[in-house]
Amino acid sequence: EGDQIVTCDAVEMLACSLVSVSGSFLPTDICRLQRQTPGCLDRHASGTLGITMLDGPLKVGTRGSPLALAQAYETKRRLAAAFPDELGADDAVEIKIIKTTGDMVLDKALKELGGKGLFTKELDVQLLNGEVDICVHSMKDVPTWLVPGTVLPCNLEREDTRDAWISPNAASPSELPAGSIIGTASLRRQAQILARNPDVKCVNFRGNVQTRLKKLQEGVVDATLLAYAGLNRMNMTEHLTSVLEFDEMLPAVAQGAIGIQCREGDAEILRYLDALNHEETKLAVDCERAFLAALDGNCRTPIAGQARLVEGQLLFQGLIAKPDGSIIFETSRAGTPADAVQMGADAGAELKGKCGDDFETFFAGDDVAPEPVSSMSSKTTDGLGGYVEA
């Protein structure tokens, strides 16, 4: 059990050895992971973790897209506000950009790349190796399993979770004429669109917000969808045509929520994150992720789920669908906040039962079609969800 550097391959191997038990995500027969950096994280003979105080800036790991950076700097701002004496100085918190597989490979659908951990694996590696102290994520990109040795104890207050519709040709997906092309890499969005308007076509549409808007402006598609929360965080809501209500487009699990991950047992960091956590958001996200975990959901499966507190009661809506929208199963729950995880797990089990004996076959069907040619098709990706300009 000597110290070891953790690699992306090791993280991927660990992901395959995890199971979900009653909403908790536990390792099965895996080696203990340790951080190599001396003096920062030591495993004592008793098995407990000992953490020293920070001896430099608090390092924040993040993807490099404009939206990811906006979320990282928002986290830095909130840390400074909550702990002005410790983290108020500009150099007390350092932002570190980490390139991920999901941002580097833009010419393939997410399903082709494997689905799980595409935007988090490289961040997990740097967190476990002690290169960063926390990682800031869009929660909808975080797998329901967490790499052993890490926890995700903090969600910032959630933004509006709805999807934004952007099109010069129609006010909503149902109003697009037959033969129209919608750019989206999301099977969840594709299934719900085709269920209401089967005469349109969905094509792969990858990249950061700015990249996708540029492709839309070139006219390679007639419309696209983005998370309204992302546009709002970057002050880019002038681009939206309309905001879609839940009955037209149920959002992704954990959409609109920012999550902050750290090493397990890191008392100093956990103290900081506890002050930032928004309990109502955390309850809703935990409920939704339990639903997703019960369905073993990822980027390859059309699944949507939303939970919210209304007058002290937790309300949940969820659905699963075939990729072509020909079948959609829906469910809902109401309960107390204390039952959040169980509610989500029960809802997931209900819908899984409706799929029949062969769960994987239910999700088989039309995938998102290849992306049409644009001015960026032959360019090299910059690893930040965009392309290198000539």
Side-chain angles (χ1 to χ4, degrees), residues 39-84:
C40 292
L41 174 59
D42 301 308
R43 184 175 290 280
H44 303 297
S46 64
T48 58
L49 296 174
I51 310 297
T52 65
M53 298 287 285
L54 290 172
D55 56 2
L58 189 156
K59 295 182 179 179
V60 179
T62 177
R63 295 162 57 194
S65 71
L67 175 57
L69 287 171
Q71 294 175 166
Y73 279 100
E74 174 63 15
T75 300
K76 177 178 179 176
R77 184 190 68 77
R78 293 189 184 213
L79 285 167
F83 299 94

Side-chain angles (χ1 to χ4, degrees), residues 2 34 66 91 99-100 119 166 173 256 260 280 317 324 363 376:
Q34 299 182 26
D91 61 356
K99 294 183 178 182
T100 69
F119 298 102
I166 306 173
I260 307 177
E280 183 175 325
Q317 297 172 249
D324 63 2
F363 288 115
M376 286 163 270

Side-chain angles (χ1 to χ4, degrees), residues 17 22 27 30 44 46 60 73 123 150 153 155 176 178 190 199 202 227 240 244 248 253 262-263 323 345 376:
S17 65
S22 301
I30 56 176
H44 303 297
S46 64
V60 179
Y73 279 100
L123 278 78
T150 74
N155 289 132
L176 274 179
Q190 171 182 284
D199 296 323
C202 292
L240 69 85
L244 304 181
E248 185 166 15
V253 163
C262 68
R263 288 176 294 275
M376 286 163 270

Side-chain angles (χ1 to χ4, degrees), residues 218-229:
E218 290 182 6
V220 297
V221 297
D222 298 298
T224 191
L225 298 93
L226 295 165
Y228 178 53

Side-chain angles (χ1 to χ4, degrees), residues 27 60 66 107 143 170 272 318 326 361:
V60 179
D107 61 344
Y272 295 144
S326 60
T361 299

Side-chain angles (χ1 to χ4, degrees), residues 285-309:
V285 169
D286 286 350
C287 177
E288 294 164 22
R289 283 169 58 80
F291 170 73
L292 190 65
L295 293 164
D296 190 29
N298 52 59
C299 297
R300 295 172 289 178
T301 45
I303 297 173
Q306 288 285 292
R308 48 194 172 139
L309 275 172

